[in-house]
Amino acid sequence: MTCTLEPVASAQQPGAVGQVNPLLQSKITVPDPPAFMVPRDRLSTRLLSCGRDQVTVVTGPAGSGKTQAVAAWVRGGRDTDQVAWITLEEGDSTPAVFWTYVVESLRRVGVPLFPGRADPVPPDAVTRAFLIRLAAQLAGQPRPVT
C-alpha cells in the first residue's frame, strides 16, 4: 500500500504558523485489489442489486473483506472518478477530521462544496449550521449526489 501525503493549500494546523496539515490521499482513493484477492461472486451480485438504493450499508467483523468487497463493487462497473471514497480509522472519529475527509472526497469527484475555502473543517466549525450548509449545497447540485 502506498500512502501519499498531499497538502491542502492553506490548511493550517492549530497553533502552528506556516505548517500545512496534509490529507492522506490513500484515505480518499478506492483501494487497489491485493494480489491474493478471491472473487466473491455471490457477494458482488448482491452488492450490484443494492446499487439502485441511495444508501447501502456493508457490515461484518474486522478482516472479513468489507473494504475489498465494496472496492471491487466500485471498480466493477462504476467510473471511480465519480465515487467519493473515504477510508476511516480509529483516530478519524473527531468531527473536524471526519468532515474534512468527507468534503475533500466530494470535491475530488467534482462536487463544488464551500467554494473559496481550501482549509479543512476547523474543529469548532462542525456545528448544526455547518451541516445545514453542507446539506443545502449537496441538495443544490445539478446532478444528484448519492
Side-chain angles (χ1 to χ4, degrees):
M1 176 201 251
T2 303
C3 291
T4 305
L5 292 177
E6 185 170 297
V8 176
S10 62
Q12 300 294 319
Q13 293 178 351
V17 178
Q19 290 185 335
V20 175
N21 188 11
L23 294 176
L24 289 172
Q25 180 69 31
S26 61
K27 289 174 146 304
I28 53 177
T29 302
V30 177
D32 292 329
F36 56 84
M37 180 85 171
V38 175
R40 298 174 69 182
D41 296 332
R42 195 174 90 204
L43 182 56
S44 296
T45 302
R46 188 125 184 231
L47 282 169
L48 283 171
S49 71
C50 295
R52 293 182 286 275
D53 299 328
Q54 288 190 351
V55 176
T56 301
V57 178
V58 178
T59 62
S64 63
K66 299 177 299 292
T67 298
Q68 287 304 323
V70 174
W73 172 50
V74 168
R75 287 189 304 270
R78 284 170 182 68
D79 182 357
T80 57
D81 291 339
Q82 297 300 308
V83 174
W85 183 276
I86 306 165
T87 299
L88 298 173
E89 298 171 325
E90 190 172 329
D92 299 334
S93 61
T94 63
V97 172
F98 174 78
W99 288 109
T100 293
Y101 278 106
V102 168
V103 168
E104 185 60 24
S105 183
L106 288 166
R107 284 177 173 172
R108 299 274 173 110
V109 296
V111 179
L113 296 175
F114 303 102
R117 180 183 186 147
D119 296 351
V121 181
D124 59 347
V126 183
T127 61
R128 181 169 162 73
F130 167 81
L131 296 173
I132 289 170
R133 284 192 311 275
L134 176 61
Q137 287 183 29
L138 290 170
Q141 297 299 312
R143 294 182 331 187
V145 177
T146 304

